[in-house]
């Protein structure tokens, strides 16, 4: 009898090791076995730790969730396939037709896009300037959710999280904050009274521009319905990405220390440069939210900054053609220093009027500062700006 096909499926048995590897193995299995129905019930009902199915999350998902919850001192966390999937899961888990969402007008373009999509499902959305207290108070009446970014994309606006959370809670609304730009190194929004913190872990936590991941953290009672939606609708990531996310986070503090120190120096350098019209960095006294940022952010002011050249594509192209180390890449939060151009990428799908209201003209650039040598970065920018 030829047992080849059976052996090919069943012979690769590995003994469970006596001791633990220091790096969690990658559990690359979508399907998990059970001894009997009692075990199925016990795992479904949470009486026994176990894995049901890839979409419910593997040990690698659980590890990333434990890490993200710990970094934010949160009760619970959910790992998702990207920042946008985390946001979408949160919106679909927390909102229903007839609800009203108040959002900062300073948000990542795709977040504004998803909020617009919610209109098709009967959710009303209004956007407000984070500094407009009267407008905030007025709009928050009857709202279910307030959506903010800790350090906004791309103008680096910093909302007073504690004050706004208080205002939202008085109105009966929950507060969700996208903390992607700050990372837990610079801010832990839950400590300011926020209910749900979301991050694109694709960025600073992953840290090496090689994963797509998102995370949500907060109180278990708030996140439970979101987790149910995330599992049912399939917003989950996969074991390998989750493993990379955990691996990236090992060096989060070291990378953030270096990158944010570099960013402060580059912000000062750019602000003094004759070719630069304006720098947006919350660590500069010239930034409108500098005082707020001192309260909201810790360990410095972050690795993201934006700056404005004359409003022309050719000025931007001249700069890009003469840079050696700093390259254009339409993401952020990696170890490399990169530039992006919101008008043609992150905020491309806004109407021209919406872009103009935010000042996102053709000369507006966003920089994700990395961990290279500061002098090399400064020399590179000096060379590039010299060609503008
Ligand atoms: C502030 C912010 N939030 C969310 C996202 C979306 O994250 P992801 O690309 O992982 O879906 C981004 C992406 O650039 C972002 O900049």
């Amino acid at each position: 009898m030829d047992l080849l096909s059976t052996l090919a499926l069943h012979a690769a048995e590995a003994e469970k090791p006596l001791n633990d590897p220091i790096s969690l193995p990658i559990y690359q299995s979508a399907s998990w076995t059970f001894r009997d129905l009692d075990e199925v019930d016990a795992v479904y009902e949470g009486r026994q730790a176990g894995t049901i199915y890839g979409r419910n999350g593997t040990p690698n998902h659980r590890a990333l969730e434990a890490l993200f919850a710990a970094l934010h001192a949160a009760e619970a966390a959910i790992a998702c396939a990207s920042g946008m999937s985390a946001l979408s899961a949160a919106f679909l888990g927390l909102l229903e037709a007839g609800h009203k969402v108040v959002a900062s007008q300073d948000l990542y373009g795709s977040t504004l896009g998803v909020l617009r999509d919610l209109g098709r499902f009967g959710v009303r959305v209004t956007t407000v300037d984070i500094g407009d207290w009267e407008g905030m108070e007025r709009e928050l009446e009857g709202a279910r959710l307030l959506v903010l970014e800790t350090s906004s994309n791309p103008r680096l606006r910093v909302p007073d999280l504690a004050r706004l959370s208080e205002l939202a809670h008085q109105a009966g609304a929950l507060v969700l904050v996208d903390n992607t730009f700050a990372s837990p190194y610079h801010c832990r929004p839950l400590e300011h009274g926020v209910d749900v913190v979301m991050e694109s872990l694709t960025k600073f936590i992953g840290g090496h521009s090689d994963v797509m991941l998102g995370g949500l953290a907060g109180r278990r009672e708030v996140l439970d319905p979101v987790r149910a939606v995330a599992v049912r609708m399939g917003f989950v990531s996969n074991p390998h990405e989750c493993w990379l996310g955990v691996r990236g986070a090992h060096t989060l503090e070291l990378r953030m220390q270096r990158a944010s120190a570099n960013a402060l120096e580059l912000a000062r350098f750019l602000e003094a440069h004759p070719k630069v019209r304006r720098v947006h960095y919350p660590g500069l006294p010239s930034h409108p939210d500098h005082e707020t940022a001192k309260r909201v952010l810790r360990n410095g002011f972050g690795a993201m900054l934006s700056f404005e050249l004359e409003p022309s594509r050719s000025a931007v192209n001249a700069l890009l053609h003469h840079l050696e180390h700093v390259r254009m890449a339409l993401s952020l939060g990696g170890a490399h220093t990169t530039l992006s151009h919101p008008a043609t990428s992150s905020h491309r799908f806004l109407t021209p009027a919406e872009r103009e209201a935010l000042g996102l003209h053709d000369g507006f650039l966003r920089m994700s500062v990395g961990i290279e040598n500061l002098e090399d970065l400064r020399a590179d920018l000096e060379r590039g700006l010299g060609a503008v």
Side-chain angles (χ1 to χ4, degrees), residues 82-84 108 111 149 153 178 180-181 198 200 202-203 212-213 332 366:
S82 66
M84 292 321 296
Y108 172 50
T111 305
E149 285 178 6
N153 185 352
D178 180 340
T180 299
F181 274 27
M198 169 270 160
S200 166
T202 311
K203 316 297 183 188
M212 294 296 302
L213 283 169
L332 63 109
R366 190 191 76 192

Side-chain angles (χ1 to χ4, degrees), residues 25-33 51-61 237-240:
I26 302 174
Y27 289 87
Q28 191 67 51
S29 188
S31 190
W32 291 68
T33 60
T51 303
I52 296 171
Y53 171 55
R55 184 154 45 72
N56 297 69
T58 66
N60 295 105
H61 293 75
S237 181
N238 62 71
H240 188 229

Side-chain angles (χ1 to χ4, degrees), residues 124 268 338 341 373:
R124 277 179 304 137
R268 288 176 177 151
T338 55
H341 186 247
N373 177 280

Side-chain angles (χ1 to χ4, degrees), residues 54-268:
R55 184 154 45 72
N56 297 69
T58 66
N60 295 105
H61 293 75
R62 300 288 100 87
L64 182 61
E65 287 168 353
L67 173 94
F68 193 57
L71 293 180
H72 280 290
E75 205 174 59
I78 308 172
C80 293
S82 66
M84 292 321 296
S85 84
L87 265 182
S88 303
F91 293 152
L92 290 171
L94 298 175
L95 299 171
E96 58 190 50
H99 276 160
K100 177 182 176 188
V101 175
V102 179
S104 160
Q105 65 175 9
D106 279 88
L107 293 177
Y108 172 50
S110 293
T111 305
L112 291 169
V114 171
L115 289 172
R116 201 174 296 153
D117 289 340
L118 292 178
R120 291 193 280 115
F121 303 96
V123 174
R124 277 179 304 137
V125 180
T126 48
T127 55
V128 183
D129 184 320
I130 54 163
D132 175 7
W133 288 99
E134 276 175 23
M136 268 293 174
E137 214 165 347
R138 195 176 52 244
E139 293 299 343
L140 277 170
E141 218 180 296
R144 162 72 173 158
L145 186 67
L146 172 64
V147 181
L148 304 166
E149 285 178 6
T150 314
S151 238
S152 75
N153 185 352
R155 297 201 299 173
L156 288 307
R157 296 296 314 271
V158 181
D160 188 331
L161 296 182
R163 230 179 122 189
L164 284 169
S165 296
E166 211 180 305
L167 210 61
H169 291 156
Q170 275 164 14
L174 291 169
V175 184
L176 182 150
V177 167
D178 180 340
N179 195 52
T180 299
F181 274 27
S183 88
Y185 177 72
H186 287 298
C187 185
R188 300 211 292 194
L190 301 179
E191 290 176 351
H192 296 259
V194 164
D195 300 287
V196 179
V197 58
M198 169 270 160
E199 279 181 30
S200 166
L201 309 180
T202 311
K203 316 297 183 188
F204 288 106
I205 294 221
H208 298 79
S209 311
D210 52 12
V211 290
M212 294 296 302
L213 283 169
L216 294 162
R219 297 191 301 284
R220 201 176 303 283
E221 51 154 343
V222 178
L223 288 190
D224 272 352
V226 177
R227 179 184 293 285
V229 159
V231 170
R232 217 165 30 238
M233 295 192 174
F235 289 110
V236 293
S237 181
N238 62 71
H240 188 229
E241 300 280 286
C242 291
W243 185 90
L244 281 168
V246 169
R247 206 270 301 268
H250 291 341
T251 54
L252 175 71
E253 180 162 7
L254 294 173
R255 286 185 283 105
M256 294 309 292
Q257 269 168 0
R258 172 71 171 251
S260 123
N262 277 352
L264 178 61
E265 289 309 317
L266 293 181
R268 288 176 177 151

